[in-house]
């Protein structure tokens, strides 16, 4: 039987539940994710959502796959990983899917994830899912950030083709900013800082920021 909710995103879920415990003592990431993001647009030029592909670090992937029954040892099909993918995306809601958007400075809300699946290829475990915007918008300036507020998970944009616009008006331009390595700084934060809530949003300092400008 596939491992349920906490094991694949168990450590991701711990980002919230253990932020004041583990992080207070060892304020540095425990899960590493290499991310690729596609910003989706409708035919009328409206921004409609984000399609993510998150590849987990090798150690976490090995842990996550424990106990999953497969027809062939070491080979995991999308179907076999299906139940696990569902529990994963459902657990992400608690953390706002680690995805935050602003359109012309106004915060945007996402709906429930769709088109989700887990893929295991060449020893890498990747979670794919699409976050539809609750209400499509046509902003001149769009900002999408991906990060874990507690910095339990370290998101890094992929080295190759990390961001892509899909269906956007030709005049729109995109750029992205990678976070600096905050692990050293995080380790300097004391227990009381986290327990007081002063650094509950510490991870925002290391957000991956995607900006789109449209005329």
């Amino acid at each position: 039987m596939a491992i349920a909710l906490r094991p694949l995103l168990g450590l991701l879920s711990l980002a919230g539940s253990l932020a004041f415990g583990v992080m207070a003592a060892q304020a540095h990431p425990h899960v590493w994710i290499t991310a690729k993001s596609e910003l989706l647009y409708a035919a009328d030029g409206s921004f409609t959502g984000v399609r993510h592909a998150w590849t987990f670090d090798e150690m976490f992937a090995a842990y996550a796959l424990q106990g999953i029954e497969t027809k062939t040892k070491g080979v995991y099909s999308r179907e076999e990983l299906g139940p696990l993918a569902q529990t994963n995306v459902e657990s992400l809601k608690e953390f706002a899917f680690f995805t935050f958007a602003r359109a012309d400075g106004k915060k945007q809300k996402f709906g429930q994830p769709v088109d989700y699946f887990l893929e295991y290829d060449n020893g890498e475990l990747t979670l794919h899912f699409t976050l539809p915007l609750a209400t499509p918008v046509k902003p001149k300036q769009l900002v999408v950030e991906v990060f874990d507020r507690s910095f339990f998970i370290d998101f890094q944009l992929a080295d190759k083709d990390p961001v892509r616009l899909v269906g956007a008006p030709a005049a729109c331009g995109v750029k992205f900013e990678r976070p600096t390595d905050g692990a050293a700084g995080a380790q300097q934060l004391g227990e009381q800082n986290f327990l007081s809530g002063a650094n509950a949003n510490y991870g925002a300092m290391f957000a991956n920021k995607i900006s789109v400008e449209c005329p």
Side-chain angles (χ1 to χ4, degrees):
M1 180 179 296
I3 303 175
L5 179 63
R6 297 299 172 184
L8 175 55
L9 283 182
L11 294 184
L12 299 186
S13 298
L14 286 174
S17 62
L18 296 186
F20 298 127
V22 175
M23 280 201 59
Q26 299 176 313
H28 60 81
H30 288 66
V31 180
W32 288 263
I33 290 178
T34 300
K36 289 189 175 184
S37 298
E38 295 181 335
L39 306 190
L40 311 178
Y41 288 78
D44 67 352
S46 298
F47 170 62
T48 62
V50 182
R51 183 184 296 131
H52 285 309
W54 292 351
T55 300
F56 299 97
D57 66 84
E58 183 178 356
M59 183 178 297
F60 182 65
Y63 168 74
L65 293 172
Q66 291 181 8
I68 297 180
E69 296 180 357
T70 62
K71 293 181 179 178
T72 305
K73 185 178 180 180
V75 178
Y76 302 85
S77 68
R78 290 188 186 182
E79 291 73 21
E80 291 166 336
L81 293 172
L84 192 54
Q86 180 176 352
T87 54
N88 295 337
V89 295
E90 289 175 351
S91 72
L92 286 172
K93 183 178 181 180
E94 181 180 353
F95 308 105
F97 309 102
F98 300 114
T99 305
F100 309 90
R102 299 191 307 276
D104 291 331
K106 184 178 180 180
K107 292 182 180 180
Q108 301 298 306
K109 293 183 178 180
F110 289 100
Q112 295 301 308
V114 297
D115 301 331
Y116 52 82
F117 63 93
L118 277 167
E119 181 179 41
Y120 186 75
D121 185 44
N122 292 325
E124 295 184 334
L125 183 66
T126 302
L127 175 65
H128 300 262
F129 67 101
T130 299
L131 279 179
L133 208 62
T135 303
V137 292
K138 295 178 69 174
K140 291 185 176 181
Q141 182 183 64
L142 172 69
V143 175
V144 176
E145 294 180 298
V146 178
F147 65 95
D148 170 24
R149 287 190 172 103
S150 69
F151 201 50
F152 194 91
I153 307 124
D154 183 6
F155 286 91
Q156 293 288 338
L157 290 174
D159 292 334
K160 183 178 180 181
D161 302 325
V163 178
R164 192 164 74 95
L165 299 183
V166 179
C172 293
V174 62
K175 63 181 180 180
F176 59 87
E177 299 175 26
R178 302 177 187 275
T180 56
D181 180 8
Q187 290 175 332
Q188 297 175 6
L189 295 177
E191 180 177 357
Q192 291 305 314
N193 286 6
F194 281 96
L195 295 179
S196 69
N199 289 285
N201 199 35
Y202 182 79
M205 296 174 60
F206 312 107
N208 296 273
K209 184 178 179 180
I210 304 169
S211 301
V212 181
E213 298 279 350
C214 295

